[in-house]
Amino acid sequence: MKEQLNSLTQQQLTELMEQMGQPAFRAKQIFRWIHEKQVTDFFQMTDQPKSLLEQLSQRFELVQLVVARRQQSKDGTIKFLFQLPDENCIETVLMRYNYGNTVCVSTQVGCRMGCRFCASTQAGLVRSLTAGEIAAEVYAAGKDIGERISHIVLMGIGEPLDNFDNVMDFLSIISSPLGVNIGMRNISLSTCGLVPMIDKLAERKLQLTLSISLHAPNNAMRSQMMPVNNAYPVEQLVAACRRYQQHTGRRISFEYSMVKGVNDSAATAKELAQLIKGMGAHVNLIPINPVDGSPYSATDAANVKRFQQQLEQLGVNATIRRRLGSDISAACGQLRREAREDALK
Ligand code: SAH
């Protein structure tokens, strides 16, 4: 199989040009063609020597995604099922906010974290995505609407910190001023809580927003919802978050999906406030999106509101996440699963 030229960071492309005996400025030019102009064919790079393009096209490919399905919500949210060159499928969601267009990218085909409420993990992990494939999600979504993408959230299918190196390369590519130039402050990365990887990420001192899928303030409750908690229990996770904040100077966000009768009581709100007090962290509340085969149902709106008010009273900043695209199988992983089930019929 050919290597993917669009997965190379600017630095890696510079090294490649050096190895190929080419001047360094070619790396910049080629990076621009791929990530700014987003060419799909080597020979569209019209200012490059033909011999170089021939060499490159023999060894490399430029990954392209095919739109396998596309659903548009009444609120403008678009959900794509993209097919990768190896025929695996991933989901990407485009959300339109007043501050700009946000793309929610998948980082893996499937997931091995096993969260009980999540559709993406039910069939396990197939493989991790390359940096170029993740970037291609952003470009394909932008091309679809013909507008600039200003924000990215790594909250689609997969666990980004379980694909650390490729995700780091993706971040380097997508934030490069020679490409689409999406600032780190407009990027959020969400993790289920792989503690050693949170420490590793802290070392990079990126200005992105780290989001932790907490969902429960104690081990009994969290382990029941998220098997990853058995490996990295709540107290270790929160300690890593505090280290992260200290090291990067960036505040953490906690995701909290509310499940009726499981994690939504007044006592739980109190425990949560206690756990993260003094961090200045932000809690994002969202009623769980029930998926087939999961035992959970959503906390009703009035109780979500009550939970939020209680957190606020206890000094924790909390907002209720607006649900976009709820009319188009919104919970990530659902579209991919539907497509796979259709294929098996
Ligand atoms: N693996 C990463 C990112 C992908 S999931 C993580 O765990 O953070 C993105 C967010 O959606 C996570 O907070 C996850 O817990 C949440 N989520 C997954 N399935 C959900 C569902 N059915 N309802 C509500 N939130 C869900």
Side-chain angles (χ1 to χ4, degrees):
M1 227 177 74
K2 285 182 176 175
E3 296 166 67
Q4 300 174 347
L5 195 65
N6 51 324
S7 284
L8 301 188
T9 61
Q10 212 184 310
Q11 163 96 30
Q12 290 161 349
L13 204 50
T14 306
E15 284 160 18
L16 176 71
M17 286 302 122
E18 209 176 283
Q19 283 161 18
M20 292 175 79
Q22 294 287 336
F25 67 83
R26 294 249 176 267
K28 276 191 178 174
Q29 291 175 330
I30 293 174
F31 190 93
R32 278 213 141 103
W33 279 114
I34 299 175
H35 299 287
E36 186 186 26
K37 303 189 187 72
Q38 297 161 20
V39 295
T40 51
D41 188 304
F42 286 94
F43 296 93
Q44 290 168 335
M45 304 186 201
T46 45
D47 58 359
Q48 300 302 305
K50 206 152 174 252
S51 59
L52 172 61
L53 295 177
E54 262 155 17
Q55 279 179 60
L56 286 174
S57 65
Q58 272 161 21
R59 182 169 152 199
F60 293 96
E61 61 175 346
L62 293 168
V63 173
Q64 280 192 74
L65 302 179
V66 177
V67 183
R69 291 190 188 191
R70 181 186 186 281
Q71 295 180 333
Q72 185 150 3
S73 161
K74 288 190 222 93
D75 61 29
T77 302
I78 305 172
K79 186 158 196 169
F80 301 95
L81 186 74
F82 287 130
Q83 192 178 57
L84 298 156
D86 66 2
E87 299 197 348
N88 276 306
C89 283
I90 48 165
E91 283 176 35
T92 306
V93 182
L94 186 135
M95 291 159 291
R96 304 180 156 225
Y97 293 103
N98 47 18
Y99 54 76
N101 296 314
T102 300
V103 172
C104 175
V105 293
S106 292
T107 53
Q108 296 182 310
V109 180
C111 182
R112 56 182 183 147
M113 295 299 134
C115 299
R116 305 251 190 274
F117 45 82
C118 180
S120 306
T121 197
Q122 286 173 341
L125 175 69
V126 178
R127 70 173 175 89
S128 283
L129 295 182
T130 63
E133 288 167 342
I134 307 172
E137 294 179 60
V138 179
Y139 305 159
K143 198 165 147 197
D144 183 272
I145 57 165
E147 286 175 31
R148 179 167 196 267
I149 305 302
S150 58
H151 292 69
I152 292 176
V153 295
L154 291 90
M155 288 194 186
I157 297 171
E159 167 49 49
L161 297 187
D162 188 36
N163 183 17
F164 193 87
D165 293 341
N166 292 347
V167 164
M168 291 306 115
D169 286 352
F170 161 71
L171 292 174
S172 160
I173 288 170
I174 212 75
S175 63
S176 165
L178 298 183
V180 286
N181 195 12
I182 301 177
M184 282 288 177
R185 283 173 185 266
N186 288 356
I187 301 178
S188 293
L189 185 154
S190 181
T191 178
C192 64
L194 300 175
V195 166
M197 293 294 146
I198 293 173
D199 284 326
K200 200 167 160 187
L201 182 66
E203 281 166 27
R204 308 276 170 132
K205 292 200 176 185
L206 301 177
Q207 293 299 297
L208 52 71
T209 300
L210 180 62
S211 244
I212 304 287
S213 300
L214 188 60
H215 305 323
N218 64 55
N219 289 324
M221 203 182 280
R222 195 165 188 267
S223 293
Q224 186 200 325
M225 299 171 76
M226 306 173 72
V228 68
N229 194 70
N230 293 311
Y232 306 110
V234 167
E235 59 283 359
Q236 285 183 26
L237 176 57
V238 173
C241 292
R242 290 182 192 272
R243 287 195 295 276
Y244 185 91
Q245 288 201 163
Q246 213 156 34
H247 203 74
T248 62
R250 298 285 296 164
R251 281 198 187 152
I252 293 212
S253 239
F254 290 105
E255 299 295 313
Y256 198 95
S257 299
M258 302 200 60
V259 186
K260 196 185 212 146
V262 174
N263 66 354
D264 59 354
S265 73
T268 304
K270 210 169 153 189
E271 213 181 336
L272 174 60
Q274 194 69 27
L275 181 72
I276 61 174
K277 72 167 186 237
M279 291 179 76
H282 183 94
V283 178
N284 250 317
L285 301 170
I286 181 169
I288 204 120
N289 206 320
V291 300
D292 289 350
S294 139
Y296 299 131
S297 57
T299 302
D300 41 67
N303 280 331
V304 175
K305 186 87 199 137
R306 202 168 301 145
F307 197 89
Q308 179 209 13
Q309 284 165 347
Q310 207 187 338
L311 288 176
E312 292 277 352
Q313 275 159 16
L314 295 165
V316 173
N317 186 247
T319 49
I320 300 172
R321 169 97 64 82
R322 200 154 58 99
R323 276 177 72 176
L324 291 178
S326 50
D327 52 333
I328 52 164
S329 57
C332 60
Q334 288 185 354
L335 193 60
R336 173 171 170 258
R337 190 176 66 181
E338 279 168 24
R340 283 190 15 254
E341 283 166 359
D342 286 355
L344 295 175
K345 272 178 199 160

